[in-house]
Amino acid sequence: MEFLEWFMPTVWFVILALFLLLYVILDGFDLGVGILSLTSPGESQRTILMTSLGNVWDANETWLVLMGGALFGAFPLAYGTILKALYGPIYLMILGLILRAVAFEFRENATTKRPWNLMFGIGSLLAAASQGICLGTVLSGIPTDAAGHFTGSAWIWVNPSSLLVALTLIQGYVLIGSTYLILKTSGELQRLHVRTARLAAATTLVGALLITVTAPFASDTLRQRLFDPAFLPFFVVLPLLGVVLIVQLYRSLAMRQEVWPFVYTVFLFILSFLGLGVMVFPAVIPPSVMIFQASSSVSSMVFMLTFIGVLIPIMLFYNIYNYIAFRGKVSAE
Amino acid sequence: MFAGLDVVTLSRLQFALTAIFHMLWPVLSTGMAIFLVVLEALWLRTRNPLYYHQSRFWAKLYVLNFGIGVASGLPMEFQFGTNWAPLSEFAGDFFGSVLGFEGAMAFMLEAGFLGIMLFGWHKVPPAIHFLSTVMVAFGANLSVFWILSANSWLQSPSGGTFSDGHFHVQNYFAAINNPFMVRSVIHMALATVETSMLVVAAISAWSLMRQKAPEFFLFSFQLALVILLAVAPLQILAGHESAVQVAELQPTKLAAIEALWDDQPAGTSPAWAVLAAPDEASGRNRWSLSVPRAFSWILETRPRLSQPLRGLNSWPADQRPPMVGLLFYSFRLMVAVGLAAAALMAISLLLWWRGGLSAASFARWPWFSWAWILSAPAGYLAIEAGWVVRCVGRQPWTVYGELRTTDAASVLPAAEVLTSLSVFAVIYSVLLVLALYFGARIIARGPDLTLEPPNGLAAASLSVPDASS
C-alpha cells in the first residue's frame, strides 16, 4: 500500500501531463492556424486554412476535456483549487473556444464571411492568451492554506510574469500552426507560412529566454528548484537540446523541407513541457500542495487507470488514423 | 437583474443557464446520429442515391448543431471546479472518475470519428465510413450513459460511505449502477431519439407543406415516423417507471411535482390535480382542478394506494424542494408533450394506413403540417422541463441527503460570478438566434440532389437500379 500511495499519484501526474501535452501540441496548431487566419491575404486562402482543421479541431479540443475530467478524478483538490483561483482566465478561455467553434460552423453557412473570420481569429487568440495566463499563474504559484484551499485574490492572474508566458505561448502556437500549414499547403500560401514560421520561431525563442531568466524572480520555489544541484543536469541538457532543435528548425525551413519543421517544433514543445514539468513536480498546485496530498483515494486511481489506461492506446490509434485518412495537401473544394 | 443575489444563487443560476442551453445540442448529436446510421446502412445495402443524399443533407444540420454542443459543453465541465469546488472535493473520488471516463470513452470516440463521417466520404472505403458513423452514434450514446450515471448518483448516491466530508467509494460498479441509473439512462436516450425524430419530421413537414423536394422529404418524414412509433410508447412507459421510482427514492420530489401537501394514508384514493396554484407560505394549493380518485391509478395503476404517500408539510422547510409551482408545471408540460406527440403519431399512422399520407397531404392540411412543425420545439421543451424536475426537485441537496447545495458551492466574489453569468446570458442568446438562422438557411436551401456519390458506388447504382428494393 505504501508503494501505491506514492506510485499511483505519480502515474496520474504523468498521464495528465501526457493529455495536456497532446492538447497543447494538437489544439496548439489549431489555435495557431486560427490566429494566422487573421493575416490571410484572401478568402480562398482562409478557406484552405480552415479546411485544414475541419476534420481535427474537435478531437483536438477533446484532449482538454479529457485532461479536465482526469484532473477532477485523480486530483479533486487540485481541480477545485486551481480552477477557482483561475476563475477569470478559465472563463476567458472558454469564451475564446466557444467563439472559435461556432465561428467555424457559422462561416460554413454564411454568405458574408467577414464577421465569422474575425470571430474565428479573435476566439483563437483569446483562448491561446488565456491558456498562457493560466500556465503562467500556476507556475509562479497559487497561495493555499494548509488544507490546500485557495487563499489568494480573484486577480492573482494579473501580473507581468503570466503576461509574459501568455505572449510566449501565443508565439509558440503561431509557430506550430505555421509549420502545420507548411505541411498542409503549397505554393504561395506555403511560402507565406515559411516566413511566419521563421518570425514566430524567433519571437518564441525570445519569450522562452525571458521566461527562463525571470523564473527565479517569479517564485522562491522555482529559484530553489533551478539552482538545486540534483536537477542541474536537467537544466543544462534541456536548453542545449533546445538550441540544437532551433538550429535544425531554421535549417529545415531554409531547405524548404515540408515535414521536418513541424517535427522539430513538436520536439521543441515536448522539451519545454518537460522543463516545466521538472520545475514543478511533485507539486500539483505549486508551490505547496503535492500530488500525494491532492490525490483521490488509491482505489479510485487504480479503478480509473484500468479503464482509461486501456483506452489511451485506442484513442491514439483512431486519432492517428484520422490524420492518415486526411494526409496530404488541402485543396479548396 | 441579478445584482444583490448571493454567490450560491448566482452559481446555481449560471449552472442552470449553461445546462439548459447546452442541453439543446447533444439531443440531436445523440438522436440524429442513430438516424444517420440507419440512412447509411440503407444506402450501403441498396446503393439508391436517395439514401446517400439523405445522409448528406441531415449531416449538414448535424454538424452545425455539433459544434455548438461541443463549445457549450466546456463550461459544464469546468464549472465543477470553478463554482463547485467543495462538491468536487466531496465527491471527486467517484464523480470525477466518471467525467474522466466520459471524456475517454465517449467524447473522444465521437470527436475522433466525426471528421471522417463528415468529410471522409471520398477519403476512406465505404465500410470504414460506415464504421465511423456507427462510432459517432455509439460515442454520443455512451455520453448519455455516463452523464446520466453521474447525475443519477447525485440523486441516489450509493456504492460507498460518507465520512469526514468525503465520499469514499467501496464498490465502483454499485456507484455507477446506482438505483436511478438504468431508468434514467433509458428515459434520456429515448428522449434524444424522440426529439431528434420530431425535428426531422418537423423540417420534412415544413418542406412538404411548401412542396419542396417532396419525394425526398416524404421519405424522411416516413422514416422518422416509423422510428417515432417505436420509441414514443416506450418513452411513455419509461417516464412512468421513472416517476414510480421517484416516489420510492425521492418522496420529497414526488410530493413537489404533484403539489401534494398533506399525507395520504395507504388504502385511500386521493384526487389527482391537473392544474393547481401551490402556495408554499401556507402549505396548500390556493385552488386546484382535480380528477377524483385518479392519483393511485396514475401512480400504481390500481384503485387505492398500496403505500402511504407523504405530503410536503410533513418535512421541515429546509428539507424539501422550493419552487413547487415550477416543479408541478414542468412535470405536467413534459407529460403533456409526450402524450400529445404520441397522439399526433397515431393520427399520422392512421392516415398512412388508410392511404392518405402523401406529399400532397401536407399542403392540403396545413393544420397537420403545423402540428408536426410545432412538435419539434415541444420536444425540446419537454426535455428541458424534465431536467428542471430532475434537478430542481433534488433541492435542497446537491448529493441527495448528503451534501446541501449551499455547502457545495465555492465561496467566490459575487461580482466575478455575476460577470461570467451575464456574459453567458448575452452570448448564449445571440448564439441561439444565430444557430436558428443558419439552420433555417440550410433547410431553406434544401438537399443537394446533384451530389455525386463516392466513386465505384455510383456506377453500381446505375448498372443495378434498386437492386434489393
Side-chain angles (χ1 to χ4, degrees), chain A residues 28 93 104 142 150 160-161 191 197 209 227 230 237 243 249 295 308 331:
Chain A
M93 173 187 82
F104 214 105
I142 290 175
F150 179 59
S161 71
R191 278 193 288 282
L209 286 175
F227 296 112
V237 172
V243 171
L249 173 63
S295 66
I308 294 183
S331 57

Side-chain angles (χ1 to χ4, degrees), chain A residues 54-59 61-70 72-73 76-77 79-81 83-88 90-91 93-95 97-99 101-102 105-111 116 119 147 149 154-155 157 295-297 299-301 303-305 307-308 311 315 318-319 321-322 325-327 329 333, chain B residues 14 60 63-64 66-68 70-72 74-75 77-83 85 87-89 91-97 99-101 103-105 107-116 119-120 123-125 128 146 169 172-173 176 410-413 416-417 420 423-424 427-428 431 434-435 438 441-442 445:
Chain A
N55 66 312
V56 293
W57 72 265
D58 173 35
E61 189 180 292
T62 303
W63 291 106
L64 178 70
V65 177
L66 194 50
M67 210 277 292
F72 190 175
L77 177 65
Y79 190 71
T81 299
L83 291 192
K84 194 181 155 194
L86 299 175
Y87 195 94
I90 289 282
Y91 279 102
M93 173 187 82
I94 289 174
L95 179 63
L97 292 174
I98 289 178
L99 294 182
V102 299
E105 309 300 352
F106 290 166
R107 181 184 182 275
E108 185 74 21
N109 295 296
T111 3
W116 314 116
M119 197 164 153
H149 296 138
W155 298 99
W157 47 280
S295 66
S296 55
S297 67
S299 67
S300 183
M301 285 185 288
F303 183 70
M304 267 176 83
L305 188 62
F307 272 79
I308 294 183
L311 286 167
M315 287 188 287
Y318 61 71
N319 270 289
Y321 177 78
N322 189 12
F326 288 87
R327 70 189 172 282
K329 303 290 181 195
E333 278 178 43
Chain B
Q14 177 169 303
K60 261 194 226 170
V63 63
L64 173 69
F66 192 92
I68 308 172
V70 170
S72 64
L74 286 172
E77 183 187 30
F78 284 106
Q79 271 176 105
F80 289 116
T82 53
N83 296 64
L87 167 68
S88 303
E89 243 189 278
D93 249 24
F94 170 71
F95 204 75
S97 319
L99 291 194
F101 294 155
M105 278 180 211
F107 291 154
M108 193 55 102
L109 196 63
E110 197 180 4
F113 284 101
L114 183 78
I116 298 177
F119 307 110
K123 301 260 185 194
V124 297
I128 300 277
W146 284 115
V169 193
Y172 280 93
F173 296 101
I176 290 170
S410 302
V411 180
L412 287 160
E416 213 171 17
V417 185
S420 55
V423 172
F424 274 125
I427 295 219
Y428 279 2
L431 280 186
L434 288 170
F438 284 116
R441 273 181 78 119
I442 294 176
R445 221 177 285 152

Side-chain angles (χ1 to χ4, degrees), chain A residues 102 105-111 116, chain B residues 25 28 32 56-66 68 199-200 202-204 206-207 212 217 380 430-447:
Chain A
V102 299
E105 309 300 352
F106 290 166
R107 181 184 182 275
E108 185 74 21
N109 295 296
T111 3
W116 314 116
Chain B
W25 316 100
L28 275 198
M32 203 191 262
R56 297 300 300 258
F57 175 72
W58 294 108
K60 261 194 226 170
L61 282 172
Y62 184 91
V63 63
L64 173 69
N65 173 83
F66 192 92
I68 308 172
V199 169
V200 171
I203 292 168
S204 306
W206 187 86
S207 308
K212 284 168 66 86
F217 282 112
Y380 284 105
V430 176
L431 280 186
L432 184 60
V433 172
L434 288 170
L436 290 174
Y437 169 75
F438 284 116
R441 273 181 78 119
I442 294 176
I443 297 163
R445 221 177 285 152

